[in-house]
Amino acid sequence: MVFLKGVSALSRLRSRVKQHSNLSNSVRWLQTQTSADLDLHSQLKELIPEQQERLKKLRAEHGKVQLGNITVDMVIGGMRGMTGLLWETSLLDPDEGIRFRGLSIPECQKLLPAAKPDGEPLPEGLLWLLLTGKVPSKGQVDALSQELRDRAVVPDYVFKAIDALPVSAHPMTQFTTGVMALQVQSEFQKAYEKGISKTKYWEPTYEDALSLIARVPLVASYVYRRMYKDGKFIPVDDSLDYGGNFSHMLGFSSPEMHELMRLYVTIHSDHEGGNVSAHTGHLVGSALSDPYLSFAAALNGLAGPLHGLANQEVLLWIKSVVDECGENISKDQLKDYVWKTLNDGKVVPGFGHGVLRKTDPRYMCQREFALKHLPDDPLFKLVSQLYEVVPPILTELGKVKNPWPNVDAHSGVLLNYFGLTEARYYTVLFGVSRSIGICSQLIWDRALGLPLERPKSVTMDWLENHCKKAKAA
């Protein structure tokens, strides 16, 4: 099984950099790709020594610089606000939202190659950007698409491992099982067992990472067709790109759905390193577990209700609103339903974020997509009403730092509109997307020689005694 062939639109980075003169300050080595070199591996091989020296110098000159104070609240509050992890591929600003190698989502939409003029960015282009810090050319995206297509071969034993599970098993259980079965072919594990220099760790990691990214859409689509379409599987279309082919293998031929999948995969790919799935992937990888083991662990974190399962919960909650109040719900009725949800001790899914303090840019680009392709859809109109109703109520409640919608508040409605109505499966889509960000960072973890992660833990007795001593002093 092979797939993936990307096409791209013309890059307009120079004009954008002129419009955003401060971009060069926030992105140290972002540039438009003009090199004739189409090989991603060779590009990385050139970049890595420079970044290794950069990290070495940073540590030698500034290793003792303090980044902030750790409070008791941080220790018992999920380490929120605690800076303690190096993550090169993206950075989340509380006000601006996510930046991929310094580029915002709107900038990525304008600069990265697309499948058609003014279309959504191709995920292959984002993968190149995350790994190199450079906006790829059309030829480079085409070459990367070809490489991914060549790697997208899934052995039969992977599907047999999935088939050993009940069809009723949660989609994420089946998906993670498939990823674990892929681990049998890990190039990193083979190289480590034979003996390999630490300076070369990144190379078999690269091989595993790109093969994993290439293969997960096949595994994910197999799970979907097995569960919801009587096991009638759809072969790949070699003429389509990563996102388009994933949509095709799921069973959707609409060009608009293909565009949605390109957008979905791109914006869900990475969200810096502190979220559960990204941190888990990094943590497990720091033990020199190969990318398959690391990503499978990350998927198990993503499957939690407080992380990737949230997009499923949003659509189910929105449908419960419609079931109880009808599609033509008034603003006052909606306010009453929101208050009822909160008074029942529940949360309004899709609102709030652990870091963001404004509306998630990933929500906004999905809203723009909806305005373009489904402006009259009743559920989209309801989502728009919620955007007006929920934040003031959460602000009045006074218990949340961010009352604004996040990425999950919108994605389910878009998928539902184009026919992917099985909300239980949505987290698998998230997982396919997240492979790009987690695997990109794993390559850089090995290239930079980042160590085993081992933070210090304490007991409540220790905290109480420490606080007593601090007060006495």
Side-chain angles (χ1 to χ4, degrees), residues 20 44 51 117 144 168 182 190 211 233 269 316 335 362 382 402 429 448:
H20 299 272
L44 273 174
Q51 299 306 307
L144 180 54
S168 60
L182 285 171
K190 294 174 186 175
S211 293
F233 310 117
S269 64
L316 295 176
K335 287 179 180 178
R362 299 173 299 173
L382 179 54
N402 172 22
L429 302 176
L448 295 173

Side-chain angles (χ1 to χ4, degrees), residues 76 458-469:
I76 64 178
V458 295
T459 64
M460 281 198 287
D461 283 343
W462 187 96
L463 284 175
E464 288 169 343
N465 290 331
H466 180 83
C467 292
K468 288 178 183 176
K469 292 177 182 178

Side-chain angles (χ1 to χ4, degrees), residues 202-222:
W202 76 269
E203 297 196 55
T205 300
Y206 174 94
E207 295 301 321
D208 280 353
L210 262 69
S211 293
L212 175 59
I213 292 168
R215 293 166 181 169
V216 288
L218 281 79
V219 176
S221 60
Y222 184 89

Side-chain angles (χ1 to χ4, degrees), residues 5-9 112-122 240-241 244 258-259 262:
K5 184 175 182 180
V7 293
S8 58
L112 293 178
K116 63 179 185 178
D118 297 320
E120 300 300 339
L122 290 166
L240 290 171
D241 55 90
H258 290 188
E259 277 288 274
R262 293 171 188 126

Side-chain angles (χ1 to χ4, degrees), residues 118-347:
D118 297 320
E120 300 300 339
L122 290 166
E124 298 95 313
L126 184 74
L127 173 59
W128 189 290
L129 173 67
L130 294 183
L131 281 172
T132 69
K134 302 175 183 179
V135 174
S137 67
K138 176 185 184 298
Q140 286 164 329
V141 169
D142 286 345
L144 180 54
S145 292
Q146 179 66 54
E147 180 176 356
L148 291 173
R149 181 172 64 193
D150 292 342
R151 291 172 179 270
V153 180
V154 176
D156 286 341
Y157 59 76
V158 173
F159 302 122
K160 290 179 180 178
I162 296 171
D163 289 341
L165 296 170
V167 175
S168 60
H170 194 281
M172 284 296 286
T173 303
Q174 299 188 48
F175 184 39
T176 307
T177 298
V179 171
M180 284 297 296
L182 285 171
Q183 191 275 341
V184 174
Q185 295 188 331
S186 171
E187 294 298 326
F188 182 87
Q189 183 187 46
K190 294 174 186 175
Y192 189 83
E193 289 176 351
K194 290 179 180 178
I196 182 175
S197 169
K198 291 181 180 180
T199 61
K200 299 291 185 181
Y201 280 172
W202 76 269
E203 297 196 55
T205 300
Y206 174 94
E207 295 301 321
D208 280 353
L210 262 69
S211 293
L212 175 59
I213 292 168
R215 293 166 181 169
V216 288
L218 281 79
V219 176
S221 60
Y222 184 89
V223 171
Y224 180 76
R225 302 296 298 182
R226 177 177 188 252
M227 293 189 68
Y228 304 115
K229 303 299 176 183
D230 299 320
K232 296 176 181 178
F233 310 117
I234 298 174
V236 301
D237 183 341
D238 290 342
S239 69
L240 290 171
D241 55 90
Y242 190 93
N245 221 327
F246 184 27
S247 179
H248 161 75
M249 289 188 293
L250 290 171
F252 302 97
S253 59
S254 162
E256 291 79 13
M257 180 58 166
H258 290 188
E259 277 288 274
L260 173 60
M261 195 59 69
R262 293 171 188 126
L263 176 65
Y264 185 100
V265 172
T266 297
I267 66 175
H268 285 81
S269 64
D270 204 27
H271 216 231
E272 76 169 29
N275 63 77
V276 171
S277 58
H279 188 198
T280 301
H282 170 82
L283 171 63
V284 175
S286 78
L288 296 187
S289 299
D290 62 64
Y292 295 99
L293 296 174
S294 302
F295 184 63
L299 288 177
N300 287 325
L302 190 69
L306 295 182
H307 191 18
L309 210 67
N311 54 7
Q312 165 186 318
E313 300 300 318
V314 171
L315 183 63
L316 295 176
W317 185 80
I318 288 175
K319 287 187 172 182
S320 74
V321 176
V322 174
D323 290 342
E324 186 166 326
C325 305
E327 289 184 347
N328 298 317
I329 185 172
S330 69
K331 190 173 290 188
D332 287 338
Q333 286 177 304
L334 190 55
K335 287 179 180 178
D336 290 342
Y337 193 88
V338 170
W339 275 114
K340 177 179 179 296
T341 299
L342 295 171
N343 290 333
D344 286 343
K346 302 175 183 178
V347 299

